[in-house]
Amino acid sequence: MIRQIIKKQFLVLWRNPVQLLLLIALPIILIFILGCALSSFMNGDTPEIQAKIAIIEHRSETEQLDQFLLDMNGRTDFHKENMVNMEKALPIQTLKSIFNTEALSEMMEVEEVSVSKKEEILNDNSYTAVIEVPEDFTYKYLSHTLLNGDEMAELLVMGNEQQQIGAGVIHSIIENFQQQLTLGTFLEQKGLDQQIMSLSDSLLKSKRTSLQQNKIITAKDYYTVGMAVMNALFIASTIGTIAFREKKMFVFNRIILANMSKWVYFSGILCSAVIFTFFQSCIIYGFAWLIFDVTWENMFAFLIITIAFSVAVGGIAVLLTAISYQMHSETITNFFSGAIVALMALVGGSFFPIGDSSELIHVIGNFTPNGSGMSAYLSILRGNSVQEISSHILFLCLFGVAMIIIAALTFPKKGEMV
């Protein structure tokens, strides 16, 4: 008889194509959208930046340097030997060399523009940023550095609002450049050698070794698992809703009148939820394997996790059924599908690896069936063994058994049926 109840549940679900579409197609669509949209972020890729920079100098640094040396001639507070390092590291010359380094030259094109073309450049949206160097910038810099002058040298940096990422990167480079100049000025004023700003290469040499030879989890891997375990929870609410509607339509009463034990019906609901969850998971993961190449090298571990997770979802399904029968209302089922699933998905990490930012949230997430199942699936995808996920499998089985026991105790007795 349990088989007949399972068959009945399957036919009811099959005749509701909208519900079936939501349970199967929705997670597939979400995997496709989230996996593609967040692939760069999840995979740690840096966004490709192509920036065009215009540098407008009102006066060349060479002229300003010559003018500074001429003005300093004969001054007792100026020692020409201090210029030895300064001539090798003039500020604008240094800034240009930074933009021309191998790392930045691939994504930033630097163009020196005459003052007469300033308006034309400012109206050209192809430029990411315009750096305007005042006429006496280098002169003021040398005066402040070597003579402790009060007047600070200032650059004018204008970013293109339509290229915010590139402009933000350029502003960061300029700010870092400014910090280096400030540090250099401090060292010069204290009579310290500026070579201490750069560490010896021998101190920076290191050997990179891999601590784990595990497979890297991509965005498509992550969201395949995340959406699969989240949407499996809707199986529980769907089965609970179908069961309650059968009670309203007196289907359950007719089953009891036919001298069938309520526990047969109870077991049929449980088995239906377990089987439906298992097949839903297999369909979703099969699609991900065909389209996104999400491969399970350890199929035995995959099947063990899927069965354990299906039992946990089945336990939730019979508990929702028992509570709705006891309350004579499907409010709890609706609340579960509308609010609790979303909360469990958030804490469990279906939308984002929130557990990485907090150990407490990670622990709490693993005490949800979807979070524990997700941790187990991802662990297998990384190449870990069944022994390493045994705690997750045990939790899912115990969670499912606990839900079944509570549901059995909650399920109304024969005299309480309405």
Side-chain angles (χ1 to χ4, degrees), residues 158-191:
M158 295 163 281
N160 188 341
E161 294 182 354
Q162 298 179 8
Q163 302 182 38
Q164 293 184 359
I165 296 178
V169 171
I170 294 169
H171 275 285
S172 297
I173 294 172
I174 297 296
E175 288 177 2
N176 184 66
F177 171 68
Q178 180 185 7
Q179 292 172 3
Q180 293 296 319
L181 288 182
T182 303
L183 179 59
T185 300
F186 173 79
L187 294 175
E188 189 67 33
Q189 291 174 350
K190 299 300 180 181

Side-chain angles (χ1 to χ4, degrees), residues 367-387:
F367 277 98
T368 63
N370 56 300
S372 185
M374 190 171 181
S375 296
Y377 278 124
L378 293 177
S379 183
I380 291 300
L381 277 174
R382 292 189 186 100
N384 296 332
S385 63
V386 178
Q387 289 77 11

Side-chain angles (χ1 to χ4, degrees), residues 223-241:
Y223 284 110
T224 293
V225 176
M227 293 302 102
V229 296
M230 181 188 76
N231 283 274
L233 297 175
F234 289 112
I235 290 282
S237 60
T238 300
I239 295 296
T241 300

Side-chain angles (χ1 to χ4, degrees), residues 234 333-345:
F234 289 112
T333 305
N334 295 334
F335 179 71
F336 176 82
S337 61
I340 297 180
V341 169
L343 181 61
M344 292 172 66

Side-chain angles (χ1 to χ4, degrees), residues 52-56 109-113 117 121 127:
K52 190 176 181 181
I53 307 168
I55 298 180
I56 302 175
E109 177 187 349
V110 180
E111 182 180 341
E112 297 184 37
V113 181
K117 293 185 177 180
I121 295 300
Y127 286 90

